[in-house]
Amino acid sequence: MNIEKQIIDQRINKIIQDNANLFTEEDLEKKRSKAFLLLGVAAYLDIDIEEAEQMVTDGGNDGGFDAAYIVENQDSQLNVVLFQSKYVRALDKDSNFPANAVEKAVNTVKCVFDPAAQIELNPKSEEKVNEIRSFILDGQIPYVTFVMLNNGLSWNRDGENHIQNTFGGQKQVQFVHFCHSDILRYINRTESIDAQIALSGKAVQEDFNYKRVILGRISVKEISDLMDKFGDSLLEKNIRRYLGRNTVNEGIIQTLLDDEKRFNFFFFNNGVTMICEKFSYNALQEHNWIVKIKKLQIINGGQTCKTIWQTLKEHPEIDFSQVYLLVRLYEVSDDEGIIHDITYATNSQNPVDFRDLKSNDDIQILLEKSAEGLDYIYKRKRDGSTNTNAIPSTVAAEAVLAVWRERPHLAKYKRNEFFDKYYSDIFEDLNAAQMIIAVLIFRYCDSRRKHQCLNKDIQASRPFSQHFLAYMIGKQLLQEHSIELNSLTHTNFYKVKEDFERNKEDLYIKAENVLTELLKGYFNTEHLDSIDGRTMAAAFRRFDIVENYFKVSSWWDEHMK
């Protein structure tokens, strides 16, 4: 029996054990399938299980995808990652991802990303599709990665034919196989990597300020071989998520495939930055060094490396032996401070996820210690934990931005900027008591979002409104205690928490009823169920509801009494 499959099977059993609240299914195999889906989504996107759970859509009429990750990027670009999961109970079998499932995924992309196409969906899937289509109708260009997740082999020739017949040559869509081995590499990513790289031509090695550096030229084939051998574990300290093809990656691909431009790739790309604990080479050799490296990590250029690997894999007929890339290799020992600073500096001009960089900030450490004093666990770093009872910093950021910072529209759609553009707005002057209360409110609203409401007007907005409702409940809670936010501290934390837990259902119902009336006025209609889901999703993405209603004290006082 495959040992990797056994380890993953143990892992999904622990997810079920640690998070009973996430699994309402009676059938154990359905629970195991969902746990595998959660683990796969978390591993592929490098997020926590709780975040992954928010993306799950599986069930009857799921539209051909089991989970969806949607993030708005720069240059009118929308990155969407869809997942379809197949977990095989027989761990001693190695079956291909079903060709008919691949065909279904192909049809899913054709339907979901065409706003005019009709598709039958369950409420969770419909919510995601409406969000995607609202972005498209606003002019965003979607780039789609469809991840086929299983504990077996990739699809066969029939499956590949389904993809190529529809999307062959299509720059906006790619299909990726992600299996138990890939998940295991994610789980074991803290293992150190000892490797060697071959530099081409002359290189420069300098010693200064008690550090060593090599600047050299490396072939893209060498980069591809490294990625093939070590995969994403090379990118542990790299803070950029690879979300498939986008405008930047597409430029890299086109350069690599152009018969003339590929030979100037060295001049068109910023290169890759690597760090290590120690490197060595034959200093008596004038050029073409073989560099032996201990504890290698790529901290900048992760997108470039992944794109190179994918392109070379898809085009084995092309000779890339004379295509090169600039490489910077820093020997920095185990100095986390300098690693942090180098990583930040080399990534600061790019759209990245700064969570790991910010994890050692004083405010993050203080929140961790303060939350512990209030009997909560705050996860300022990703640790691969399967338990959702702890509070990941990403969830805290989302909740605080919505509840206390009066920006629910940004909290829902700007997750990739929490630890960059909005970091100071979220975490400055924030204490653990405020953070925890915000998370409790947000988690409750998010859990209510998943339940159908018989009132059609309320149900029309419920899939999109959890951030706004959390904001409204937060304001109510402060008003009922006659305090400002800065007065919410450890001294009254347990009292405010107890009051929220006791009255949360009434607070939620009141907020939802008020929001429903607000939306009727906003859309100038008596029946919200007549509003198209795409239009509703777009309304919650905009700022005018907050500005024209929630921030007007007279309106708030009149409606929230």
Side-chain angles (χ1 to χ4, degrees):
M1 186 180 294
N2 187 303
I3 186 66
E4 293 180 336
K5 291 185 180 182
Q6 292 183 54
I7 294 172
I8 296 302
D9 198 60
Q10 291 171 346
R11 192 79 169 188
I12 65 173
N13 288 334
K14 180 149 182 63
I15 291 174
I16 296 170
Q17 177 184 333
D18 289 346
N19 307 281
N21 59 306
L22 298 183
F23 301 93
T24 57
E25 303 86 352
E26 293 292 332
D27 185 82
L28 177 59
E29 291 309 315
K30 288 184 178 180
K31 290 182 179 181
R32 288 159 60 80
S33 294
K34 181 177 179 179
F36 179 70
L37 170 65
L38 289 172
L39 182 59
V41 171
Y44 187 84
L45 295 175
D46 194 13
I47 59 177
D48 298 284
I49 292 292
E50 181 175 359
E51 293 175 84
E53 201 276 332
Q54 293 185 45
M55 302 167 193
V56 170
T57 61
D58 70 325
N61 294 328
D62 59 17
F65 61 96
D66 299 322
Y69 175 82
I70 305 165
V71 61
E72 183 181 10
N73 278 330
Q74 297 176 342
D75 302 323
S76 298
Q77 181 177 308
L78 182 70
N79 279 113
V80 180
V81 184
L82 301 178
F83 296 84
Q84 189 178 136
S85 177
K86 302 292 180 184
Y87 188 70
V88 178
R89 181 173 55 184
L91 302 184
D92 57 339
K93 292 184 179 179
D94 255 339
S95 54
N96 292 97
F97 200 96
N100 61 348
V102 176
E103 182 181 19
K104 186 177 181 181
V106 168
N107 291 329
T108 293
V109 176
K110 289 167 60 180
C111 290
V112 167
F113 295 89
D114 179 0
Q118 298 295 315
I119 181 171
E120 187 175 355
L121 300 165
N122 66 37
K124 293 180 182 178
S125 297
E126 185 176 23
E127 172 192 341
K128 299 297 184 184
V129 171
N130 281 331
E131 287 183 10
I132 291 168
R133 289 180 171 181
S134 73
F135 276 108
I136 293 173
L137 291 174
D138 278 352
Q140 300 278 13
I141 306 300
Y143 283 81
V144 187
T145 301
F146 209 121
V147 180
M148 317 302 273
L149 174 65
N150 74 343
N151 59 336
L153 305 175
S154 183
W155 51 85
N156 59 17
R157 172 70 66 178
D158 289 341
E160 184 64 21
N161 287 339
H162 288 309
I163 295 171
Q164 293 304 321
N165 289 341
T166 304
F167 296 115
Q170 169 56 257
K171 299 176 182 179
Q172 291 175 236
V173 181
Q174 74 165 349
F175 286 78
V176 175
H177 178 241
F178 198 71
C179 69
H180 54 285
S181 299
D182 300 305
I183 296 174
L184 190 60
R185 277 196 290 270
Y186 164 78
I187 294 173
N188 295 331
R189 60 186 177 161
T190 56
E191 293 181 359
S192 63
I193 295 175
D194 297 338
Q196 68 178 36
I197 59 174
L199 299 183
S200 299
K202 290 187 176 182
V204 177
Q205 193 272 306
E206 291 277 2
D207 296 352
F208 61 94
N209 199 22
Y210 304 103
K211 299 172 185 66
R212 303 172 71 211
V213 60
I214 288 179
L215 297 179
R217 180 162 50 98
I218 189 171
S219 74
V220 295
K221 180 65 166 61
E222 189 78 4
I223 291 290
S224 180
D225 289 345
L226 269 178
M227 294 301 302
D228 207 39
K229 185 174 182 179
F230 298 109
D232 286 348
S233 56
L234 271 171
L235 311 177
E236 180 192 351
K237 293 186 183 295
N238 187 272
I239 55 177
R240 188 191 317 276
R241 289 184 187 138
Y242 181 82
L243 297 178
R245 290 185 174 176
N246 54 42
T247 52
V248 175
N249 297 338
E250 192 58 42
I252 294 173
I253 295 169
Q254 291 306 311
T255 301
L256 288 171
L257 297 183
D258 189 290
D259 289 339
E260 295 182 3
K261 289 183 178 180
R262 83 167 64 101
F263 299 107
N264 287 319
F265 187 77
F266 181 91
F267 302 103
F268 300 152
N269 191 275
N270 290 331
V272 58
T273 303
M274 302 176 177
I275 60 172
C276 68
E277 184 178 281
K278 188 173 183 61
F279 64 71
S280 59
Y281 63 97
N282 179 13
L284 300 178
Q285 189 174 340
E286 186 175 350
H287 49 71
N288 296 338
W289 293 345
I290 303 295
V291 185
K292 296 186 179 297
I293 306 171
K294 184 177 181 181
K295 294 187 176 180
L296 173 66
Q297 285 289 298
I298 295 171
I299 62 168
N300 183 263
Q303 281 199 87
T304 296
C305 292
K306 292 276 284 189
T307 304
I308 287 171
W309 172 77
Q310 188 72 35
T311 305
L312 269 62
K313 180 180 177 183
E314 293 175 356
H315 296 276
E317 76 282 1
I318 297 178
D319 180 10
F320 291 98
S321 61
Q322 300 302 309
V323 182
Y324 300 101
L325 185 72
L326 174 67
V327 62
R328 308 170 191 87
L329 176 62
Y330 300 131
E331 182 184 291
V332 293
S333 189
D334 267 336
D335 187 340
E336 285 294 333
I338 190 64
I339 291 172
H340 175 281
D341 291 342
I342 292 173
T343 308
Y344 189 90
T346 55
N347 284 281
S348 60
Q349 295 180 352
N350 300 301
V352 296
D353 179 353
F354 282 96
R355 176 186 180 183
D356 290 338
L357 285 183
K358 300 292 189 181
S359 64
N360 290 321
D361 282 4
D362 289 342
I363 183 60
Q364 296 296 317
I365 295 172
L366 287 172
L367 283 174
E368 181 182 53
K369 296 296 183 183
S370 301
E372 186 179 337
L374 297 174
D375 304 316
Y376 281 83
I377 298 173
Y378 178 65
K379 290 169 54 179
R380 55 188 173 91
K381 294 183 178 181
R382 276 182 281 259
D383 60 5
S385 171
T386 62
N387 197 319
T388 62
N389 289 327
I391 299 175
S393 58
T394 47
V395 174
E398 185 174 3
V400 171
L401 188 60
V403 177
W404 303 135
R405 306 314 187 209
E406 302 187 342
R407 301 182 186 181
H409 58 303
L410 298 179
K412 185 173 179 67
Y413 293 107
K414 296 292 185 179
R415 291 187 180 97
N416 59 329
E417 298 182 22
F418 288 165
F419 292 85
D420 180 18
K421 183 176 180 179
Y422 300 109
Y423 182 78
S424 295
D425 294 338
I426 293 170
F427 289 102
E428 192 170 300
D429 298 324
L430 179 70
N431 63 43
Q434 297 163 3
M435 177 195 71
I436 295 167
I437 293 296
V439 170
L440 293 177
I441 293 172
F442 175 72
R443 281 176 168 170
Y444 179 71
C445 292
D446 192 56
S447 68
R448 290 292 296 256
R449 170 183 65 89
K450 301 167 187 175
H451 299 293
Q452 287 283 101
C453 181
L454 296 178
N455 184 317
K456 293 183 178 179
D457 287 333
I458 290 177
Q459 183 56 40
S461 66
R462 181 172 282 188
F464 315 103
S465 63
Q466 72 269 31
H467 296 78
F468 282 77
L469 293 171
Y471 164 55
M472 296 170 75
I473 290 173
K475 293 195 72 169
Q476 286 186 76
L477 204 57
L478 293 180
Q479 283 184 348
E480 290 187 3
H481 285 266
S482 301
I483 59 173
E484 299 292 331
L485 177 61
N486 58 12
S487 298
L488 176 55
T489 68
H490 65 284
T491 59
N492 55 4
F493 167 74
Y494 290 104
K495 183 178 180 181
V496 174
K497 177 191 171 186
E498 181 182 352
D499 180 53
F500 169 70
E501 294 292 352
R502 183 174 61 250
N503 299 311
K504 59 187 178 185
E505 184 173 3
D506 291 339
L507 291 169
Y508 183 87
I509 292 172
K510 180 179 180 180
E512 198 164 48
N513 286 332
V514 170
L515 181 60
T516 300
E517 294 306 310
L518 181 158
L519 290 170
K520 287 181 178 179
Y522 179 81
F523 289 114
N524 192 25
T525 182
E526 289 295 320
H527 302 288
L528 290 181
D529 62 332
S530 65
I531 303 298
D532 181 78
R534 298 168 299 183
T535 304
M536 186 70 73
F540 280 105
R541 239 183 24 247
R542 298 176 184 132
F543 183 64
D544 54 342
I545 294 181
V546 177
E547 186 69 21
N548 296 333
Y549 294 92
F550 293 149
K551 288 192 174 183
V552 179
S553 59
S554 59
W555 182 92
W556 181 267
D557 293 339
E558 177 184 350
H559 290 81
M560 297 304 293
K561 289 180 181 177

